[in-house]
Amino acid sequence: MATTNDIKNGTVLNLDGNLWSVIEFQHVKPGKGGAFVRTKLRNVTSGKVVDKTFNAGAKVDTARVDRSEYQYLYKDGDDFVFMDNSTYDQLTIPAAVVGDAENFMLENTNAVIAMHDGSPLYIELPPSVVLEITYTEPGLQGDRSTGGTKPATLETGYQIQVPLFIENNTRVKVDTRSGDYLGRVIE
């Protein structure tokens, strides 16, 4: 058991039999009344986001979550196979747990896998990854002066919006949380 003073981003709480990850928190001390902690929580299994308020100093049940560095090896049917970077043990994770991270993972990509009681909860990728554009329509000559966008397919098969000047085989930086184009990568 911990108190609300121990809450920080990334902490996993066990509330009503469900695991909730703290996205953001704020300690509030109003002029009148007692202090409280306002949190935004994400359900680890369903991804649902809720706001919850706790009285300051209240007891909360924290869940033990182990995070380890793994390397993505390959896709096996609907499952994904990862290798623990320290023990070289292989772990098979269902597509439901991998979720949208699938759109940004290439073979040999490193990821952090959060485990609770031996079962995988979720996958954390780096905030951005560098991927290659495999196909996009050519931009028109007169369109380059405006801030327009066009669809482009990444090497993972995921489609994002990119500026009109981006061409095929261009390496781009992509935000793994939102899928937004962040810029070209010039090597």
Side-chain angles (χ1 to χ4, degrees):
M1 282 295 226
T3 66
T4 55
N5 297 333
D6 301 322
I7 291 178
K8 57 184 181 240
N9 291 346
T11 303
V12 178
L13 305 176
N14 189 353
L15 304 172
D16 303 325
N18 290 320
L19 295 178
W20 299 85
S21 178
V22 177
I23 300 171
E24 53 186 65
F25 71 99
Q26 178 182 18
H27 289 276
V28 179
K29 176 82 171 92
K32 261 183 163 175
F36 58 91
V37 178
R38 185 180 297 137
T39 62
K40 186 175 280 193
L41 306 172
R42 175 183 291 124
N43 189 309
V44 171
T45 53
S46 70
K48 179 180 175 184
V49 176
V50 298
D51 294 323
K52 184 154 179 71
T53 303
F54 299 96
N55 290 330
K59 300 277 187 203
V60 290
D61 188 13
T62 57
R64 180 180 163 90
V65 175
D66 299 318
R67 292 177 173 84
S68 298
E69 184 88 15
Y70 283 78
Q71 183 179 39
Y72 170 56
L73 297 178
Y74 59 91
K75 187 171 182 178
D76 183 22
D78 287 339
D79 297 334
F80 294 82
V81 179
F82 289 84
M83 177 183 69
D84 189 326
N85 286 347
S86 57
T87 64
Y88 305 111
D89 292 335
Q90 290 189 4
L91 176 68
T92 302
I93 297 183
V97 174
V98 173
D100 291 339
E102 166 184 12
N103 300 325
F104 309 106
M105 287 190 320
L106 291 174
E107 291 178 356
N108 302 323
T109 300
N110 285 333
V112 174
I113 299 179
M115 308 277 280
H116 176 66
D117 292 338
S119 63
L121 297 175
Y122 57 89
I123 292 179
E124 295 175 359
L125 290 177
S128 64
V129 293
V130 176
L131 296 170
E132 188 172 306
I133 301 289
T134 56
Y135 178 76
T136 186
E137 295 288 333
L140 299 174
Q141 189 65 30
D143 288 343
R144 294 174 195 264
S145 62
T146 63
T149 60
K150 62 182 179 178
T153 304
L154 298 171
E155 57 188 312
T156 60
Y158 186 65
Q159 198 170 67
I160 63 170
Q161 293 293 319
V162 297
L164 295 169
F165 60 83
I166 298 293
E167 299 173 353
N168 289 337
N169 303 322
T170 302
R171 296 181 60 75
V172 295
K173 191 180 234 183
V174 181
D175 188 328
T176 58
R177 297 163 296 205
S178 64
D180 292 338
Y181 163 84
L182 297 176
R184 278 190 295 185
V185 176
I186 299 169
E187 297 167 356

